[in-house]
Short mmCIF file of all heavy atoms in Angstrom, two decimals:
data_model
loop_
_atom_site.label_atom_id
_atom_site.label_comp_id
_atom_site.label_asym_id
_atom_site.label_seq_id
_atom_site.Cartn_x
_atom_site.Cartn_y
_atom_site.Cartn_z
N ASN A 1 0.82 -1.21 0.00
CA ASN A 1 0.00 0.00 0.00
C ASN A 1 0.85 1.26 0.00
O ASN A 1 0.54 2.24 -0.68
CB ASN A 1 -0.92 0.00 1.22
CG ASN A 1 -2.04 -1.02 1.11
OD1 ASN A 1 -2.40 -1.44 0.02
ND2 ASN A 1 -2.59 -1.42 2.24
N THR A 2 1.94 1.22 0.77
CA THR A 2 2.83 2.38 0.82
C THR A 2 3.48 2.63 -0.53
O THR A 2 3.58 3.78 -0.99
CB THR A 2 3.92 2.17 1.90
OG1 THR A 2 3.28 1.99 3.17
CG2 THR A 2 4.86 3.36 1.96
N VAL A 3 3.93 1.55 -1.18
CA VAL A 3 4.53 1.68 -2.51
C VAL A 3 3.52 2.27 -3.49
O VAL A 3 3.85 3.15 -4.29
CB VAL A 3 5.06 0.32 -3.00
CG1 VAL A 3 5.45 0.41 -4.47
CG2 VAL A 3 6.26 -0.12 -2.17
N GLN A 4 2.28 1.79 -3.42
CA GLN A 4 1.24 2.31 -4.30
C GLN A 4 1.02 3.80 -4.06
O GLN A 4 0.95 4.59 -5.01
CB GLN A 4 -0.07 1.54 -4.06
CG GLN A 4 -0.04 0.10 -4.52
CD GLN A 4 -1.31 -0.64 -4.13
OE1 GLN A 4 -2.19 -0.10 -3.47
NE2 GLN A 4 -1.41 -1.89 -4.54
N GLU A 5 0.92 4.17 -2.78
CA GLU A 5 0.68 5.58 -2.47
C GLU A 5 1.84 6.46 -2.90
O GLU A 5 1.63 7.55 -3.44
CB GLU A 5 0.44 5.72 -0.96
CG GLU A 5 -0.88 5.13 -0.49
CD GLU A 5 -1.10 5.36 1.00
OE1 GLU A 5 -0.80 6.46 1.48
OE2 GLU A 5 -1.59 4.43 1.66
N VAL A 6 3.04 5.98 -2.67
CA VAL A 6 4.22 6.77 -3.07
C VAL A 6 4.25 6.92 -4.58
O VAL A 6 4.55 7.99 -5.12
CB VAL A 6 5.51 6.12 -2.54
CG1 VAL A 6 6.73 6.77 -3.18
CG2 VAL A 6 5.59 6.23 -1.03
N THR A 7 3.95 5.82 -5.29
CA THR A 7 3.94 5.86 -6.76
C THR A 7 2.92 6.85 -7.27
O THR A 7 3.20 7.68 -8.15
CB THR A 7 3.65 4.45 -7.33
OG1 THR A 7 4.64 3.53 -6.86
CG2 THR A 7 3.65 4.48 -8.85
N ILE A 8 1.71 6.77 -6.73
CA ILE A 8 0.65 7.69 -7.15
C ILE A 8 1.03 9.13 -6.85
O ILE A 8 0.88 10.03 -7.69
CB ILE A 8 -0.68 7.31 -6.45
CG1 ILE A 8 -1.23 6.01 -7.04
CG2 ILE A 8 -1.70 8.44 -6.60
CD1 ILE A 8 -2.45 5.48 -6.31
N GLN A 9 1.56 9.36 -5.65
CA GLN A 9 1.91 10.72 -5.27
C GLN A 9 3.03 11.26 -6.14
O GLN A 9 3.02 12.45 -6.53
CB GLN A 9 2.32 10.76 -3.79
CG GLN A 9 2.39 12.15 -3.20
CD GLN A 9 1.04 12.86 -3.22
OE1 GLN A 9 0.02 12.27 -2.94
NE2 GLN A 9 1.06 14.15 -3.58
N ALA A 10 4.00 10.39 -6.46
CA ALA A 10 5.11 10.83 -7.30
C ALA A 10 4.63 11.19 -8.70
O ALA A 10 5.03 12.22 -9.26
CB ALA A 10 6.17 9.73 -7.37
N LEU A 11 3.75 10.36 -9.26
CA LEU A 11 3.23 10.63 -10.60
C LEU A 11 2.40 11.92 -10.60
O LEU A 11 2.51 12.74 -11.50
CB LEU A 11 2.37 9.46 -11.07
CG LEU A 11 3.11 8.16 -11.40
CD1 LEU A 11 2.13 7.02 -11.64
CD2 LEU A 11 3.99 8.35 -12.63
N ALA A 12 1.56 12.07 -9.58
CA ALA A 12 0.73 13.28 -9.50
C ALA A 12 1.59 14.52 -9.32
O ALA A 12 1.33 15.57 -9.93
CB ALA A 12 -0.26 13.14 -8.35
N SER A 13 2.62 14.42 -8.50
CA SER A 13 3.51 15.57 -8.28
C SER A 13 4.27 15.92 -9.54
O SER A 13 4.52 17.09 -9.82
CB SER A 13 4.49 15.25 -7.15
OG SER A 13 3.81 15.07 -5.93
N LEU A 14 4.62 14.89 -10.32
CA LEU A 14 5.31 15.14 -11.59
C LEU A 14 4.42 15.95 -12.52
O LEU A 14 4.87 16.92 -13.16
CB LEU A 14 5.70 13.81 -12.24
CG LEU A 14 6.38 13.89 -13.61
CD1 LEU A 14 7.72 14.61 -13.50
CD2 LEU A 14 6.57 12.49 -14.19
N ALA A 15 3.15 15.57 -12.60
CA ALA A 15 2.22 16.31 -13.45
C ALA A 15 2.05 17.74 -12.93
O ALA A 15 1.97 18.70 -13.71
CB ALA A 15 0.87 15.60 -13.49
N GLU A 16 2.01 17.88 -11.62
CA GLU A 16 1.79 19.20 -11.01
C GLU A 16 2.93 20.17 -11.30
O GLU A 16 2.71 21.38 -11.41
CB GLU A 16 1.61 19.01 -9.49
CG GLU A 16 1.42 20.29 -8.71
CD GLU A 16 2.74 20.77 -8.13
OE1 GLU A 16 3.52 19.92 -7.66
OE2 GLU A 16 3.00 21.98 -8.17
N THR A 17 4.15 19.64 -11.47
CA THR A 17 5.28 20.54 -11.72
C THR A 17 5.14 21.29 -13.04
O THR A 17 5.75 22.34 -13.23
CB THR A 17 6.62 19.78 -11.73
OG1 THR A 17 6.60 18.80 -12.79
CG2 THR A 17 6.87 19.10 -10.41
N ARG A 18 4.33 20.77 -13.95
CA ARG A 18 4.18 21.43 -15.26
C ARG A 18 2.81 22.09 -15.41
O ARG A 18 2.45 22.50 -16.50
CB ARG A 18 4.38 20.40 -16.38
CG ARG A 18 5.77 19.81 -16.40
CD ARG A 18 6.00 19.02 -17.69
NE ARG A 18 5.86 19.87 -18.87
CZ ARG A 18 4.82 19.83 -19.70
NH1 ARG A 18 3.83 19.00 -19.49
NH2 ARG A 18 4.77 20.63 -20.74
N ASP A 19 2.06 22.16 -14.33
CA ASP A 19 0.70 22.69 -14.42
C ASP A 19 0.63 24.03 -13.71
O ASP A 19 1.51 24.40 -12.94
CB ASP A 19 -0.27 21.68 -13.77
CG ASP A 19 -1.70 21.91 -14.19
OD1 ASP A 19 -1.96 22.88 -14.93
OD2 ASP A 19 -2.57 21.11 -13.77
N LEU A 20 -0.46 24.74 -13.95
CA LEU A 20 -0.68 26.02 -13.29
C LEU A 20 -1.14 25.86 -11.85
O LEU A 20 -1.11 26.80 -11.07
CB LEU A 20 -1.72 26.83 -14.08
CG LEU A 20 -1.28 27.29 -15.48
CD1 LEU A 20 -2.47 27.84 -16.24
CD2 LEU A 20 -0.17 28.31 -15.39
N ASP A 21 -1.60 24.66 -11.49
CA ASP A 21 -2.06 24.42 -10.12
C ASP A 21 -0.87 24.13 -9.20
O ASP A 21 0.17 23.62 -9.63
CB ASP A 21 -2.99 23.20 -10.07
CG ASP A 21 -4.31 23.46 -10.76
OD1 ASP A 21 -4.91 24.51 -10.50
OD2 ASP A 21 -4.74 22.60 -11.55
N THR A 22 -1.06 24.42 -7.93
CA THR A 22 -0.08 23.99 -6.93
C THR A 22 -0.40 22.57 -6.50
O THR A 22 -1.46 22.02 -6.85
CB THR A 22 -0.12 24.91 -5.69
OG1 THR A 22 -1.34 24.66 -4.98
CG2 THR A 22 -0.01 26.36 -6.07
N GLY A 23 0.47 22.00 -5.70
CA GLY A 23 0.23 20.64 -5.21
C GLY A 23 -0.99 20.53 -4.32
O GLY A 23 -1.51 19.44 -4.11
N ASN A 24 -1.48 21.66 -3.81
CA ASN A 24 -2.65 21.61 -2.95
C ASN A 24 -3.92 21.24 -3.72
O ASN A 24 -4.89 20.76 -3.11
CB ASN A 24 -2.85 22.95 -2.25
CG ASN A 24 -1.83 23.17 -1.15
OD1 ASN A 24 -1.51 22.25 -0.41
ND2 ASN A 24 -1.31 24.39 -1.06
N HIS A 25 -3.92 21.47 -5.02
CA HIS A 25 -5.08 21.08 -5.82
C HIS A 25 -5.33 19.58 -5.70
O HIS A 25 -6.48 19.15 -5.50
CB HIS A 25 -4.86 21.46 -7.29
CG HIS A 25 -5.89 20.89 -8.22
ND1 HIS A 25 -7.20 21.31 -8.24
CD2 HIS A 25 -5.79 19.91 -9.17
CE1 HIS A 25 -7.86 20.63 -9.15
NE2 HIS A 25 -7.04 19.78 -9.74
#
């Protein structure tokens, strides 16, 4: 579960770095 969560968070954060939204979105 931890690996899954870390993977999801990493992928989402990667997308966020190129978006107009902050990570709080």
Side-chain angles (χ1 to χ4, degrees):
N1 288 338
T2 300
V3 170
Q4 291 174 357
E5 290 182 41
V6 169
T7 301
I8 288 173
Q9 194 62 41
L11 290 171
S13 296
L14 178 64
E16 178 264 320
T17 61
R18 297 192 60 254
D19 198 356
L20 293 169
D21 292 313
T22 70
N24 287 319
H25 170 69

